[in-house]
Amino acid sequence: MLRALEAVSAERAEGAVLSVRGLTVRFRLRGGRTVDAVSDADFDLGAGECLALVGESGCGKSVLASSLLGLLPGNAETSGTALLAGPEGSAGTDLLAADEKTLARTVRGRRVGLVPQSPAAHLTPVRTVRSHLEETVRALTGTSRRARRGAAETAAERAAFPAGHLDRHPHELSGGLAQRAATALALIGDARLLLADEPTTGLDRDLVDRTVDELRRHADEGRALLLITHDLAAAARIADRVAVMYAGRIVEVAPAHRFFGPTGPRHPYARGLLDALPDRAFTPIPGMPPELTELPDGCAFAPRCPRATVRCGTRPEPTAGVACHHPEQPRA
């Protein structure tokens, strides 16, 4: 069984749009303290696939996404590799090793699109939404000046952004409208990889479904989608696989049908996330996550885990997609 899993992993990595190995991000603070925001993240993301990255706030999901685009602050230290596949017949790009010029001119928006977590902060306050869209259409698609207005309106429609608000400035938008504007901008370039960081924030349920369905369509057309979300219902709706992050580490990667289905996840934390939902057991996970400045040597979830033993004082290595010394057995 282990050999079969290794063969599947090797095949997935070979054809991946994005292949991440050992991605680690640390922030150096004054006084010599270190924030271990992401530790040894490994995953592959293929064409036509949606991987949902889930976990509690502060676990490192957004830092991981920002590291892929070189958007971290100056006190960040990164290591590992994040290989973005190149166009047919060309070499790929290690996003962690690429310089700012490469990222700005050939990666951001063109090969990797981003729906940011705080969209209002990414919009120019003196420009209207229409102006943002038309400029992005020009830069990424080369559309003629005469056709840009229509292309911008089409982009807005894809993200359910109302046409009547196109001539408004960012400060005139609600949080949900700003989110939809950012989604429209991210979709314009039809980038081969789309990073969507909490793309449903501030949206009601109908708009959540419409937004994630549009993101899913982006993947169905042969591209890759990394969906970072707290909304497990949205993840269940469109994800092919689910990666669970806790205290900067990916603790489980599982097919979505197994994760959300009767079998359920195997890591106790992942199972606790599902059991906390109102339509399930509605039972919160006890305790709080550890500070990322004081991570234990062993399993970071052990202080909150009912299955913890002395063995959990050593860090568990991923086995068959689960980093746990005492994984849950599949539900009947």
Side-chain angles (χ1 to χ4, degrees), residues 257-290:
H257 67 83
R258 193 196 82 194
F259 188 91
F260 293 109
T263 301
R266 299 192 62 207
H267 196 284
Y269 172 66
R271 189 161 291 197
L273 284 180
L274 286 184
D275 286 344
L277 295 175
D279 59 347
R280 302 216 179 196
F282 205 24
T283 303
I285 301 173
M288 296 292 290

Side-chain angles (χ1 to χ4, degrees), residues 26 37 53 89 93 120 165 178 185 212 214 242 247 302-303 310 322:
R26 293 187 173 91
L53 184 60
T93 301
H165 291 70
L185 288 165
V212 297
E214 185 60 45
V242 179
V310 173
V322 185

Side-chain angles (χ1 to χ4, degrees), residues 2-322:
L2 183 57
R3 287 183 178 179
L5 288 168
E6 289 174 346
V8 170
S9 297
E11 181 180 357
R12 184 183 295 278
E14 185 177 347
V17 172
L18 177 67
S19 186
V20 172
R21 293 291 179 272
L23 195 163
T24 297
V25 181
R26 293 187 173 91
F27 296 103
R28 297 292 180 184
L29 306 180
R30 291 180 179 177
R33 291 193 306 152
T34 301
V35 176
D36 296 303
V38 181
S39 300
D40 293 321
D42 291 350
F43 63 90
D44 298 299
L45 184 54
E49 182 181 33
C50 171
L51 174 66
L53 184 60
V54 303
E56 291 169 287
S57 295
C59 70
K61 304 186 301 296
S62 295
V63 171
L64 187 154
S66 295
S67 71
L68 297 176
L69 287 173
L71 298 176
L72 295 174
N75 65 330
E77 298 176 354
T78 62
S79 59
T81 61
L83 187 63
L84 176 67
E88 290 296 329
S90 65
T93 301
D94 183 353
L95 298 175
L96 302 185
D99 58 29
E100 173 61 23
K101 181 178 179 180
T102 299
L103 292 171
R105 294 188 178 183
T106 68
V107 174
R108 297 183 193 129
R110 292 169 173 81
R111 296 169 62 193
V112 182
L114 173 67
V115 181
Q117 185 177 25
S118 303
H122 287 72
L123 298 173
T124 303
V126 297
R127 308 276 303 272
T128 65
V129 175
R130 186 189 301 278
S131 176
H132 280 87
L133 292 170
E134 290 186 1
E135 180 183 25
T136 305
V137 166
R138 177 192 61 77
L140 299 183
T141 69
T143 302
S144 67
R145 178 176 296 183
R146 180 176 299 178
R148 283 176 205 158
R149 184 180 181 89
E153 292 173 354
T154 298
E157 185 177 358
R158 287 180 68 184
F161 188 91
H165 291 70
L166 282 171
D167 294 312
R168 294 190 176 186
H169 292 82
H171 72 274
E172 298 176 294
L173 304 178
S174 66
L177 282 173
Q179 189 70 58
R180 281 181 272 170
T183 302
L185 288 165
L187 290 171
I188 286 173
D190 286 329
R192 195 174 179 195
L193 171 63
L194 183 63
L195 308 178
D197 192 357
E198 300 291 356
T200 60
T201 300
L203 305 183
D204 61 36
R205 197 72 241 170
D206 287 343
L207 282 173
V208 166
D209 291 346
R210 180 168 175 177
T211 297
V212 297
D213 285 350
E214 185 60 45
L215 295 175
R216 177 70 236 191
R217 189 172 298 113
H218 184 86
D220 288 341
E221 291 172 352
R223 306 178 189 95
L225 170 63
L226 179 60
L227 174 67
I228 297 171
T229 186
H230 289 98
D231 191 337
L232 293 178
R237 185 178 179 91
I238 69 167
D240 297 296
R241 289 185 300 139
V242 179
V244 181
M245 204 165 190
Y246 184 78
R249 296 169 180 164
I250 294 178
V251 297
E252 182 168 7
V253 180
H257 67 83
R258 193 196 82 194
F259 188 91
F260 293 109
T263 301
R266 299 192 62 207
H267 196 284
Y269 172 66
R271 189 161 291 197
L273 284 180
L274 286 184
D275 286 344
L277 295 175
D279 59 347
R280 302 216 179 196
F282 205 24
T283 303
I285 301 173
M288 296 292 290
E291 294 291 335
L292 296 180
T293 54
E294 300 177 357
L295 290 177
D297 293 332
C299 175
F301 186 61
R304 307 173 71 186
C305 181
R307 303 171 69 87
T309 65
V310 173
R311 188 181 178 194
C312 300
T314 60
R315 180 177 175 180
E317 296 299 325
T319 302
V322 185

